[in-house]
Amino acid sequence: RDKVYKACLDVLRYSQRDRFDKCLSWLNTRVKRNYDTNQIVLAATNKTVDRINKQVLDANKNRKIYYKPIIKGKFDMKDTLMRPQGVSLCKDLKVMAIVNDQDGMWSNGSTGVVSSVDTEGCWVKFSHLNDEVYVPLYTWENKEVYVAEVKQEDGSIKEEQKERVIG
């Protein structure tokens, strides 16, 4: 409902370059740099997410456990959610799952609060569940699809699509 905000969006949308500086100046007065730890922040870059996460983690005085990844094989780190620098977790930290649980207890995007951590994972009270669940360390696999010639029972050769782990 903010008319100035809508006008700034139009300036950007229609590339009215002569009005950029004024709109940018106004938008920057409205930037919130200290985030409420109860809100979820969607950000355009990992750099922003990392800064916010560090701010929230540093404010939490509970004992942290650092999980350092072991990376083997081929991975394009730009195309994955893996964190090559690792991740730290602690009690009372809000978290969001980035993978689906095989048993369907949580899915990518599920949010919760860490209730305890150990060297193999953590206990999380997800907002949609009544009980805490254990979230173990996760193994990412980078798979490559290829075509293989497979001999059939009748002796003929058939091409089949297969996949193999490359990282």
Side-chain angles (χ1 to χ4, degrees):
R1 294 184 181 147
D2 188 315
K3 291 179 182 180
V4 177
Y5 181 71
K6 286 182 180 180
C8 281
L9 290 179
D10 284 339
V11 166
L12 298 173
R13 182 179 298 123
Y14 300 114
S15 195
Q16 299 170 352
R17 295 182 188 279
D18 57 317
R19 297 176 65 196
F20 277 0
D21 288 341
K22 188 173 182 180
C23 282
L24 184 59
S25 176
W26 182 85
L27 288 169
N28 281 336
T29 64
R30 302 176 62 90
V31 171
K32 187 174 181 181
R33 299 202 190 280
N34 294 316
Y35 300 96
D36 179 346
T37 58
N38 291 322
Q39 68 188 141
I40 293 175
V41 178
L42 299 177
T45 64
N46 284 342
K47 183 178 178 180
T48 300
V49 171
D50 290 343
R51 181 177 49 78
I52 295 167
N53 286 345
K54 182 178 180 337
Q55 177 184 343
V56 171
L57 187 65
D58 289 348
N60 186 312
K61 300 304 177 196
N62 292 311
R63 178 180 69 97
K64 280 101 176 146
I65 290 188
Y66 171 70
Y67 301 91
K68 182 178 195 265
I70 300 167
I71 302 169
K72 297 177 183 175
K74 291 183 179 181
F75 282 98
D76 183 351
M77 300 311 284
K78 293 178 283 189
D79 294 337
T80 180
L81 293 173
M82 286 182 17
R83 306 301 298 160
Q85 72 276 17
V87 65
S88 292
L89 296 175
C90 62
K91 184 179 184 306
D92 299 330
L93 189 66
K94 287 193 174 195
V95 292
M96 179 183 287
I98 58 172
V99 296
N100 297 328
D101 175 43
Q102 290 182 30
D103 299 323
M105 297 294 286
W106 67 85
S107 59
N108 183 358
S110 294
T111 58
V113 178
V114 175
S115 53
S116 67
V117 293
D118 62 35
T119 58
E120 300 301 316
C122 62
W123 286 91
V124 177
K125 171 63 175 100
F126 283 105
S127 54
H128 67 282
L129 297 175
N130 293 327
D131 297 318
E132 296 174 343
V133 293
Y134 190 73
V135 179
L137 297 178
Y138 186 80
T139 301
W140 290 94
E141 290 183 335
N142 185 20
K143 295 181 180 178
E144 171 182 74
V145 176
Y146 67 99
V147 175
E149 292 183 348
V150 179
K151 188 173 185 178
Q152 305 298 303
E153 286 182 20
D154 65 1
S156 65
I157 302 292
K158 182 180 175 187
E159 289 186 341
E160 290 183 9
Q161 185 172 306
K162 296 188 175 262
E163 64 181 24
R164 61 181 159 236
V165 176
I166 61 171

